[in-house]
Amino acid sequence: MGRKRLQESADGRPTVHTVAARAGVSIASASRVLNGVGGSPETVRKVREAAAEVGYVPNAIARSLQSQRTGLIALAVEDIGNPVYVEMMRAIEEVVAASGRQLLVHATGGQIANETALLRRLAHRYVDGMIVSPIRVTDDHLAALVDSPVPVVVIGQLGADAPVDNVRTDSRTGVCLAVDHLVAAGRRRIGFVNGPLDTVPGAARDAGFRAALAAHGIEVDERLVEVGDFQYAAGRAATERLLARARPDALVCANDLIAVGALHALLAAGHRVPSDVALVGMDDTELARMMFPQLSSVSLGSAERGRRAAELLLQRIADPTLPPRREQVPPSLAVRASSAAVPDVSPLFVPAPAAPPTPEVTA
Amino acid sequence: MGRKRLQESADGRPTVHTVAARAGVSIASASRVLNGVGGSPETVRKVREAAAEVGYVPNAIARSLQSQRTGLIALAVEDIGNPVYVEMMRAIEEVVAASGRQLLVHATGGQIANETALLRRLAHRYVDGMIVSPIRVTDDHLAALVDSPVPVVVIGQLGADAPVDNVRTDSRTGVCLAVDHLVAAGRRRIGFVNGPLDTVPGAARDAGFRAALAAHGIEVDERLVEVGDFQYAAGRAATERLLARARPDALVCANDLIAVGALHALLAAGHRVPSDVALVGMDDTELARMMFPQLSSVSLGSAERGRRAAELLLQRIADPTLPPRREQVPPSLAVRASSAAVPDVSPLFVPAPAAPPTPEVTA
DNA sequence: CAAACTCCCGGAAACGTTTACAGCAATCAG
DNA sequence: CTGATTGCTGTAAACGTTTCCGGGAGTTTG
């Protein structure tokens, strides 16, 4: 009796009270020492000792309640398995970690409901700020973004006058870069494997593809356009459908996962890349360089966008009165073997011998 | 004056006090209604109305301080870009989300310091539990795990008697599966591209490789063994070094990223896969299926391990007195084209024409 | 030597919730 | 008609921290 068990927390772990009592000082002094502000040498020594003896570690939640900050930044992306988001994430991580905060990654699966639900959860103040890269945007989604209680930065296209910090690229122009490059290399039957048209990037890339062809006076052959989603399997399936009905001499893909699927489909169907069909992906992820042949790809500056978004967010957290800002990262094209001007990477694709040296298994 | 600005929070957002005052009830009643326990119909109506009018959303931090739970689960992995962790993460996320919690993902970069630092931060109670998949383990690391204030589950090998929940696989045996398969296919000059030997999986796989060869009475040719780290680029470089000094007829790789690097190196050096060199990766990630030819790979059940770890963690959170448990997920081998018994996937690798149909660019 | 200043300390009030407890009115059983 | 039960309600005490504020001791200045 007496100390009324104010000494330690419910689960028996030491609190600042424990430390203070043990050091024979007030909790105020203990807290000050623990935070490194003030305290006489003697007090500092006693508190430090007491803290070490009981193994005190401050409760971050209580601290957050007091300081109104959690030190957490959330990142919501559609698909955590897409390497483009991995690169974005790494860039964001770097900036966020440098500011002494932690990154909380959340995959939305592209479901818009998920994302608004997430925003609502954030309204609960578990994070100091959020970066979100939505692929679909509706009005109430936008509304949720605008009056979010915590700062939000959006990576991706957003309505022109949305009062939200925004880092975007121009994937429409990005597709044009790819088409220009292919046309310059003499390709004419250029196909396009896109993601869903009801997504923001899907729509922009479709528009870019058509505009680019038009600019070169090439009419769009709808049999050369196919849609799946932004995944590998869908890209492969879409390419197979496309190849079943048309004969492109080049393929632009709406992202690298699709491009890898397309490469697989092309090779499996006996087409050579790039001599029969040139291939250009988009996002310029590590995956493009991992393929054989390495894939040309339109860089949309994902790491750069991530970095800038993180910086914007940190600035807004520091000063919430800032006017909404918008930054743009230009696309660029990385030309690699899959669309190289030279007809083929022939020495690498060694032909199988006409007669296999080992007995055939079937037949 | 009078209400002493107790009505709203520091930044002007409504609190339960705001709602209570507006509804003309006590904060206790307001809180009860908001949590859906008790309250007369009339009170419920008034509180609901007031809450809606002011746009009240509860402060999760304050709630956590009270309830001692945050609803957050942390996952610490080495490299968020490695598809094996993506799969693990997806499985964990599923279980975690089903329990109404959120997953916080943290990349450690394999730095042991990072990981202990993370554990220390966790000691600060921001998360209700943690899943960690360390590739290096030291004693004080282990100590930090053992007396972590929040429940921890480790995915990976751990000292036999470590009193920590643990989900493991047997990658040693996994390598044996790969070697057995290759030997059965008639390969004898089997190479091994491993990750760092000072990591737990690196060491286990090295041991497995040597044991497997010994079991088949094959002597280890050290020129056929190379080490990099668990990344694509390192795998490629290591394979190039290996190929520069030896001529394997099969290659076992310590994970799929390395295997992809090896495939790239092999093809670039003019070797056919699998007819010249058979290739087997490890982890059986989506990446293995994305390659051409598709890679054989030893599955270590990453998704399954993730799922089980998450379940173990949730059970421990529910009942912290549970004795430490250990689960094991057996490896299995997925045989695909890269090590198929048939000599080659020849029709797919169409030879480039002897004389290119288009003029050569250089010379 | 008095006044002003500097340090350091402890008490207590936040931060925004949930919840144990007690009071009170209304209903019910006897 | 009284006593017990029920159902709501409000007061207040937590949760573990940080921090404002006033007071006391010691030091400098005029």
Side-chain angles (χ1 to χ4, degrees):
Chain A
M1 64 203 70
R3 63 191 61 181
K4 275 187 73 189
R5 82 160 201 63
L6 246 177
Q7 298 302 67
E8 48 182 37
S9 76
D11 54 358
R13 295 188 54 81
T15 73
V16 72
H17 290 92
T18 324
V19 176
R22 189 169 187 114
V25 302
S26 72
I27 58 163
S29 292
S31 173
R32 275 188 290 256
V33 169
L34 262 8
N35 286 12
V37 336
S40 71
E42 174 64 4
T43 308
V44 169
R45 187 191 56 76
K46 285 190 298 187
V47 171
R48 289 253 169 81
E49 254 171 30
E53 281 168 17
V54 300
Y56 170 75
V57 6
N59 180 319
I61 297 174
R63 191 199 301 252
S64 290
L65 180 59
Q66 169 71 25
S67 66
Q68 303 286 11
R69 298 181 307 101
T70 63
L72 293 178
I73 300 289
L75 169 65
V77 298
E78 184 214 349
D79 171 21
I80 208 171
N82 187 332
V84 70
Y85 291 121
V86 172
E87 292 184 9
M88 212 174 252
M89 200 178 315
R90 285 207 178 107
I92 294 172
E93 226 298 313
E94 201 167 315
V95 178
V96 163
S99 81
R101 281 171 251 250
Q102 264 187 103
L103 190 64
L104 184 158
V105 180
H106 206 272
T108 63
Q111 313 299 342
I112 196 138
N114 264 350
E115 211 165 297
T116 33
L118 182 58
L119 282 171
R120 228 176 296 285
R121 295 198 64 151
L122 288 183
H124 295 211
R125 315 307 220 51
Y126 245 134
V127 298
D128 292 345
M130 172 176 206
I131 300 177
V132 32
S133 183
I135 63 170
R136 289 175 232 260
V137 175
T138 63
D139 284 350
D140 57 345
H141 189 82
L142 192 57
L145 285 171
V146 170
D147 56 40
S148 155
V150 306
V152 176
V153 176
V154 172
I155 298 182
Q157 293 312 113
L158 217 51
D161 49 355
V164 180
D165 287 326
N166 181 214
V167 180
R168 52 177 61 190
T169 181
D170 182 359
S171 61
R172 195 177 185 285
T173 300
V175 176
C176 292
L177 289 180
V179 171
D180 291 353
H181 159 64
L182 291 169
V183 169
R187 312 285 174 161
R188 286 300 176 274
R189 298 189 311 281
I190 302 177
F192 184 41
V193 187
N194 199 3
L197 290 176
D198 67 342
T199 63
V200 175
R205 287 161 207 197
D206 185 69
F209 179 71
R210 292 170 191 279
L213 283 195
H216 288 287
I218 303 178
E219 201 173 341
V220 176
D221 177 352
E222 294 298 340
R223 292 172 310 154
L224 287 173
V225 177
E226 188 55 74
V227 165
D229 65 28
F230 288 111
Q231 308 280 331
Y232 160 77
R236 182 174 178 185
T239 305
E240 283 165 355
R241 289 196 299 274
L242 190 155
L243 291 177
R245 65 167 183 249
R247 181 80 170 76
D249 62 4
L251 237 35
V252 177
C253 298
N255 76 7
D256 281 348
L257 284 175
I258 294 177
V260 170
L263 176 63
H264 209 135
L266 285 168
L267 294 179
H271 298 283
R272 288 165 302 183
V273 174
S275 59
D276 294 336
V277 181
L279 192 57
V280 180
M282 183 164 256
D283 282 339
D284 194 22
T285 60
E286 188 184 16
L287 196 55
R289 292 181 290 276
M290 286 170 59
M291 288 299 119
F292 194 88
Q294 293 194 323
L295 300 183
S296 298
S297 192
V298 176
S299 167
L300 299 177
S302 23
E304 176 69 8
R305 279 183 290 154
R307 199 179 57 70
R308 295 230 207 146
E311 284 166 358
L312 244 43
L313 183 61
L314 293 182
Q315 288 166 19
R316 172 157 304 279
I317 288 173
D319 177 5
T321 68
L322 254 32
R325 282 168 303 169
R326 160 166 311 168
E327 300 205 355
Q328 182 122 12
V329 176
S332 64
L333 175 67
V335 177
R336 301 202 183 85
S338 74
S339 71
V342 293
D344 211 335
V345 287
S346 349
L348 307 179
F349 276 87
V350 176
T358 54
E360 286 166 357
V361 177
T362 58
Chain B
M1 65 202 69
R3 61 192 60 179
K4 274 187 73 190
R5 83 160 201 62
L6 247 176
Q7 298 301 67
E8 48 184 37
S9 77
D11 54 357
R13 294 189 54 81
T15 72
V16 72
H17 290 91
T18 325
V19 175
R22 188 169 185 115
V25 302
S26 73
I27 58 162
S29 292
S31 174
R32 276 188 289 256
V33 170
L34 263 7
N35 285 13
V37 335
S40 72
E42 173 64 3
T43 308
V44 169
R45 188 190 56 75
K46 287 190 296 186
V47 171
R48 290 254 169 82
E49 256 171 29
E53 281 169 16
V54 300
Y56 170 75
V57 4
N59 182 318
I61 298 174
R63 190 197 302 251
S64 290
L65 179 57
Q66 168 70 25
S67 66
Q68 302 285 15
R69 301 185 303 104
T70 64
L72 293 178
I73 300 290
L75 169 65
V77 298
E78 184 214 349
D79 170 20
I80 206 171
N82 188 332
V84 70
Y85 291 122
V86 172
E87 292 183 10
M88 214 174 250
M89 201 178 315
R90 285 208 178 106
I92 293 172
E93 155 54 58
E94 200 167 318
V95 178
V96 163
S99 82
R101 282 171 251 249
Q102 265 186 101
L103 189 65
L104 186 159
V105 179
H106 207 273
T108 63
Q111 313 300 342
I112 198 143
N114 264 349
E115 210 165 299
T116 32
L118 182 58
L119 281 171
R120 228 176 297 286
R121 295 199 62 152
L122 288 183
H124 295 210
R125 314 306 218 52
Y126 245 134
V127 298
D128 292 345
M130 175 175 204
I131 300 177
V132 32
S133 182
I135 63 171
R136 288 175 233 260
V137 175
T138 62
D139 283 352
D140 56 346
H141 189 81
L142 192 57
L145 285 172
V146 170
D147 57 39
S148 155
V150 306
V152 177
V153 176
V154 172
I155 298 181
Q157 295 309 116
L158 218 50
D161 49 355
V164 179
D165 286 326
N166 180 212
V167 179
R168 53 177 61 190
T169 181
D170 182 359
S171 61
R172 195 176 185 286
T173 301
V175 176
C176 292
L177 289 180
V179 170
D180 291 353
H181 159 64
L182 291 168
V183 168
R187 312 285 173 161
R188 286 300 176 273
R189 299 190 310 279
I190 303 176
F192 184 41
V193 187
N194 197 4
L197 289 176
D198 67 342
T199 62
V200 176
R205 288 162 207 198
D206 185 69
F209 180 72
R210 293 170 191 279
L213 283 194
H216 289 286
I218 304 178
E219 200 174 342
V220 176
D221 177 353
E222 294 297 340
R223 291 172 311 151
L224 288 173
V225 177
E226 187 55 75
V227 165
D229 66 29
F230 287 110
Q231 308 280 330
Y232 161 76
R236 183 176 176 182
T239 306
E240 282 164 357
R241 289 196 299 274
L242 190 154
L243 291 177
R245 67 168 182 249
R247 181 80 171 80
D249 62 6
L251 234 36
V252 176
C253 298
N255 75 7
D256 281 347
L257 284 175
I258 293 177
V260 170
L263 176 63
H264 209 136
L266 285 168
L267 295 179
H271 299 283
R272 285 166 304 182
V273 175
S275 59
D276 293 337
V277 181
L279 191 57
V280 179
M282 184 164 255
D283 280 341
D284 194 23
T285 61
E286 188 183 15
L287 196 56
R289 291 180 291 274
M290 286 169 59
M291 289 297 121
F292 195 90
Q294 294 193 322
L295 300 184
S296 298
S297 193
V298 176
S299 167
L300 299 177
S302 23
E304 176 69 9
R305 278 182 292 155
R307 199 178 58 69
R308 293 228 208 148
E311 284 165 357
L312 243 44
L313 183 62
L314 293 183
Q315 288 166 20
R316 173 156 303 281
I317 289 174
D319 178 6
T321 68
L322 252 34
R325 283 169 302 169
R326 161 166 310 171
E327 300 205 354
Q328 182 124 9
V329 175
S332 64
L333 175 67
V335 176
R336 302 202 182 86
S338 75
S339 72
V342 293
D344 210 336
V345 287
S346 346
L348 308 179
F349 276 87
V350 176
T358 53
E360 286 165 356
V361 177
T362 58

